[in-house]
Amino acid sequence: MFHRKKLSMSKIKNAVQLELPNIEQKEQPQKINVKAVVNDSLPEMELITCELGDRQLELPNLESAGDAGDAGGGDISLQWELPRPLIEDELPPALQLRDEMLPKAIRQFVREKAYSIDGMSPDYLAVSLITMIAGVIGSNVEIEPKRNDNWRVVCILWALLVGKASEKKTPAMSASVSFVDKVKKEVIAPVSKRNSALNAIKKKRIDTSRRELELKLEDALDQEDEIAQLKIADQLAQLTEPPVFDQKEIYINDCTIEALTLCAQTSLSGLTVVRDELSGLLNVFNQQSRSHERSVYLEGYAGQRNSYVIRRVSRDDVILPQLFINLLGGIQPDMLKPLIKSAIEGRQNDGFLERCLQMSVLPTKTPRLLTDHRVSEQATASVHHVFAKLAQLDSPINPIVLKFSPFAQKKWTKWSEEAVRDELNSPSILESYHVKRLEHCAKLAMIFHLIEEASNTPKDKLFQPNNVVGIKSISQAMVWMRYLRSHAYRIVASAQDKVGDESSAKVLLSRLSRFNGQFTKHELSQKDWKSLKTAAQRDEAINTLLQHGYLKESMITTTKTSKPTKGFLIHPEYR
């Protein structure tokens, strides 16, 4: 559970850096070319370079060209790029998705499809695809991560794609769901029709036998033959309805909790709730009359193999043989803040957030691209083959049980010990999140193993996976755990209002229009604005806006100085 303690941003950043030395790639300094031209007759000015934090900014050597006049007045033309949002660099870093992290069968598709959707973050597509694959696997397979203990982990994932509305989260989910739709038509539907026909005949025979026995029982009652009555009553009691077969709905979209549970009655493999905007579901949970629905989802995440009974007034009870619920949805950071804050403050510490954080991502915003690329048929066919083979799994009640190979077992055990130590050193508000990472690592190893097994199964062969998970799958899962941990810390930090309206950079940004296109440090110090009263605050604000592209350092002239002096030009859109 989350505890009442203020989140230490520096501790989160340090923790992320410590755990991720192997796969974190340091961003290379960017060079921005700034050319200054005075009229058309003057030659191009000599460029000089100065350090600005982790970026290089090329500045015109205005002093060598003589008096440049008022740099903010339009005599000098500068090339400006679109500034970056301030929030980006204030959050803990999120690791980038690397090719080797993805199973080979889906790797090419993720890269090509992400690029084809105008350079969408591949993180969204990879997480969506893996979550939908988990939905197809469902309750058919489990894994026992420990060597001796029979503790089992089910294949259930909750994933949130966190990002702003323009970051292509919905196309990522749609691309993943499309594979499920296709295998439902090609693989699942024919089997469902066959099972429906068989069940219809079985039910017809049982109904016939019931009517015959009921007639015999009436005769025995008329003849007052107690021995015959008991015998026939026993025969009636032994008649059972045909077992419910798994209809494999796989996923369901916007639905009420009643519709979800009714669908779950015949979807023994489980259901994945897919929501474009998951904020709608979270809002439902906050309604007093529907707050109980949250507990249904929590039960579904646990994946217990026992009956789940829903008692209803004036209607028949709903009895579910078992309940498995996956979750995939997009959500904007601002809409997720109430859930994070309520957990941090202890108002809703039922573990819902910790479950969501295990497979959620908040990638750094990618540059806007306009692409025109068709995904190769080979890449699409490879992913479809995996889905098609996994859809052949048909053991929702008595699942296939996987175990680690001896080498994989040693690796998982060692990683688990390190994860427990990491849990002890983590911020207290993330303690419950860390507790659940052990089973999540095992889940990912199971999924990666099954993806590889499905990929290697010929098209004309029935899918029968090897029940031994090797070192390759567990190694891949461990890399994912480091990657997902960086995203979980980033998501939690996004609710901390680190870049709020009172930050020095935000205050200065909101007041840039009060200057005449430029300013000096001295001019800024005379304003006596809130959060900009000290030299340190002003320097921090200026450096932040320089690094994000809102300002450019230059030699300028002002009404109070006849000679050029060091100052700052303001982005045209913020003057």
Side-chain angles (χ1 to χ4, degrees):
M1 293 184 182
F2 285 111
H3 300 279
R4 294 177 177 269
K5 185 175 181 181
K6 186 177 174 74
L7 179 63
S8 170
M9 189 67 63
S10 61
K11 188 170 183 180
I12 283 185
K13 289 185 177 180
N14 292 336
V16 173
Q17 297 289 342
L18 287 172
E19 191 184 4
L20 307 169
N22 296 328
I23 62 176
E24 184 172 14
Q25 296 178 344
K26 209 169 186 178
E27 188 175 343
Q28 296 297 321
Q30 290 181 312
K31 281 193 175 182
I32 301 177
N33 295 324
V34 182
K35 295 183 179 180
V37 178
V38 181
N39 298 326
D40 294 333
S41 59
L42 292 180
E44 186 176 293
M45 295 179 180
E46 180 185 356
L47 295 177
I48 61 174
T49 301
C50 70
E51 288 283 346
L52 281 178
D54 61 345
R55 296 171 20 126
Q56 295 284 333
L57 179 63
E58 294 182 353
L59 299 171
N61 189 352
L62 297 178
E63 290 182 325
S64 65
D67 192 335
D70 186 353
D75 293 332
I76 293 179
S77 176
L78 294 176
Q79 295 179 357
W80 292 88
E81 296 180 356
L82 186 67
R84 292 183 292 113
L86 292 180
I87 188 78
E88 290 294 334
D89 292 343
E90 293 295 334
L91 296 178
L95 293 173
Q96 292 184 347
L97 186 73
R98 297 189 337 211
D99 282 348
E100 60 267 27
M101 291 171 60
L102 297 167
K104 189 176 181 180
I106 67 174
R107 186 180 302 164
Q108 184 179 353
F109 177 82
V110 169
R111 287 302 180 191
E112 287 194 37
K113 188 65 177 179
Y115 176 75
S116 72
I117 307 177
D118 292 344
M120 170 190 68
S121 292
D123 311 68
Y124 292 141
L125 183 56
V127 169
S128 297
L129 209 55
I130 292 171
T131 303
M132 292 311 299
I133 286 174
V136 175
I137 297 169
S139 63
N140 295 284
V141 186
E142 294 180 346
I143 185 171
E144 291 183 353
K146 296 184 178 181
R147 186 193 308 274
N148 301 314
D149 194 357
N150 60 1
W151 170 53
R152 292 186 181 182
V153 174
V154 296
C155 191
I156 294 177
L157 299 180
W158 283 10
L160 306 186
L161 311 184
V162 186
K164 295 182 179 179
S166 59
E167 294 183 19
K168 313 293 184 183
K169 303 184 295 296
T170 298
M173 290 186 285
S174 298
S176 304
V177 169
S178 66
F179 288 103
V180 177
D181 290 335
K182 192 171 183 180
V183 298
K184 283 178 72 173
K185 293 178 181 178
E186 297 176 355
V187 180
I188 297 172
V191 175
S192 294
K193 290 179 180 178
R194 179 198 66 194
N195 290 339
S196 294
L198 287 172
N199 266 26
I201 296 299
K202 290 178 181 179
K203 189 175 187 312
K204 185 177 179 180
R205 290 184 174 182
I206 290 173
D207 289 342
T208 300
S209 299
R210 181 177 289 106
R211 286 194 297 270
E212 291 175 353
L213 288 172
E214 287 174 349
L215 290 173
K216 290 181 180 180
L217 182 57
E218 288 181 3
D219 291 340
L221 288 170
D222 291 340
Q223 295 173 11
E224 298 182 354
D225 187 342
E226 293 184 1
I227 296 177
Q229 291 173 18
L230 292 174
K231 182 179 179 181
I232 296 170
D234 288 339
Q235 291 175 335
L236 275 170
Q238 292 173 7
L239 291 177
T240 57
E241 294 293 328
V244 176
F245 68 89
D246 187 10
Q247 294 185 4
K248 288 192 175 182
E249 292 291 341
I250 306 298
Y251 76 92
I252 190 169
N253 297 114
D254 193 1
C255 64
T256 62
I257 197 66
E258 291 79 15
L260 174 63
T261 52
L262 287 174
C263 190
Q265 280 185 299
T266 55
S267 295
L268 303 181
S269 290
L271 288 168
T272 301
V273 177
V274 181
R275 300 283 293 259
D276 284 348
E277 290 294 337
L278 200 64
S279 56
L281 181 63
L282 299 181
N283 289 335
V284 166
F285 293 158
N286 292 329
Q287 298 175 19
Q288 187 172 1
S289 61
R290 302 182 64 179
S291 58
H292 65 283
E293 298 182 14
R294 186 177 177 121
S295 63
V296 176
Y297 277 82
L298 292 171
E299 289 285 347
Y301 183 91
Q304 297 296 324
R305 293 188 179 276
N306 45 38
S307 296
Y308 187 79
V309 182
I310 302 175
R311 303 290 183 188
R312 303 192 299 184
V313 179
S314 73
R315 288 179 292 174
D316 293 338
D317 294 339
V318 177
I319 302 176
L320 308 178
Q322 56 191 27
L323 183 61
F324 287 71
I325 299 178
N326 289 276
L327 187 61
L328 173 63
I331 191 167
Q332 298 183 45
D334 288 343
M335 304 302 291
L336 186 58
K337 281 184 180 181
L339 177 64
I340 298 175
K341 288 187 174 182
S342 65
I344 291 174
E345 295 167 4
R347 286 182 281 112
Q348 286 183 320
N349 52 2
D350 56 3
F352 194 95
L353 176 63
E354 297 94 311
R355 289 162 173 80
C356 291
L357 287 176
Q358 298 298 324
M359 196 66 188
S360 298
V361 289
L362 173 55
T364 303
K365 189 174 182 179
T366 56
R368 180 78 165 90
L369 296 177
L370 182 62
T371 62
D372 186 7
H373 172 74
R374 175 175 295 188
V375 180
S376 64
E377 293 183 4
Q378 178 184 2
T380 304
S382 177
V383 178
H384 175 260
H385 179 74
V386 169
F387 273 87
K389 288 301 166 186
L390 293 174
Q392 293 177 353
L393 291 168
D394 189 23
S395 53
I397 303 299
N398 299 301
I400 299 169
V401 180
L402 307 183
K403 296 284 289 187
F404 286 125
S405 69
F407 285 115
Q409 186 71 61
K410 289 181 181 178
K411 199 171 183 70
W412 186 84
T413 301
K414 183 178 179 181
W415 178 87
S416 298
E417 292 170 350
E418 293 174 354
V420 171
R421 287 196 295 270
D422 183 56
E423 174 190 331
L424 298 176
N425 295 324
S426 67
S428 60
I429 63 170
L430 289 170
E431 181 181 342
S432 297
Y433 160 75
H434 280 274
V435 169
K436 299 187 182 302
R437 295 182 75 227
L438 296 183
E439 66 178 74
H440 193 76
C441 183
K443 289 180 184 181
L444 291 177
M446 169 171 54
I447 292 169
F448 294 148
H449 170 74
L450 292 172
I451 290 175
E452 185 174 15
E453 289 289 297
S455 178
N456 294 334
T457 302
K459 188 175 181 180
D460 58 342
K461 297 289 186 181
L462 182 66
F463 181 51
Q464 295 178 324
N466 187 333
N467 65 351
V468 178
V469 178
I471 197 166
K472 178 181 177 181
S473 297
I474 185 60
S475 298
Q476 211 164 30
M478 288 165 58
V479 175
W480 265 83
M481 293 307 296
R482 293 193 289 271
Y483 162 81
L484 290 169
R485 182 182 185 273
S486 74
H487 282 268
Y489 274 51
R490 182 176 172 85
I491 291 169
V492 172
S494 70
Q496 301 304 300
D497 295 324
K498 187 65 177 179
V499 181
D501 293 336
E502 303 303 316
S503 71
S504 59
K506 272 289 185 71
V507 170
L508 179 56
L509 179 61
S510 68
R511 290 167 168 74
L512 289 180
S513 60
R514 302 187 186 184
F515 294 108
N516 187 26
Q518 63 182 29
F519 67 93
T520 64
K521 284 188 177 181
H522 178 70
E523 287 179 306
L524 179 58
S525 68
Q526 299 300 306
K527 298 297 184 180
D528 197 34
W529 286 332
K530 182 170 57 175
S531 300
L532 294 167
K533 294 183 181 294
T534 68
Q537 289 175 322
R538 293 190 291 271
D539 287 342
E540 179 185 358
I542 289 171
N543 289 333
T544 300
L545 296 190
L546 281 169
Q547 292 176 22
H548 285 75
Y550 295 95
L551 302 177
K552 290 185 187 295
E553 191 171 13
S554 182
M555 301 301 294
I556 64 174
T557 58
T558 68
T559 57
K560 297 182 179 180
T561 60
S562 58
K563 293 183 179 181
T565 185
K566 182 179 176 181
F568 305 94
L569 304 180
I570 300 172
H571 193 288
E573 294 185 9
Y574 291 85
R575 293 176 183 173

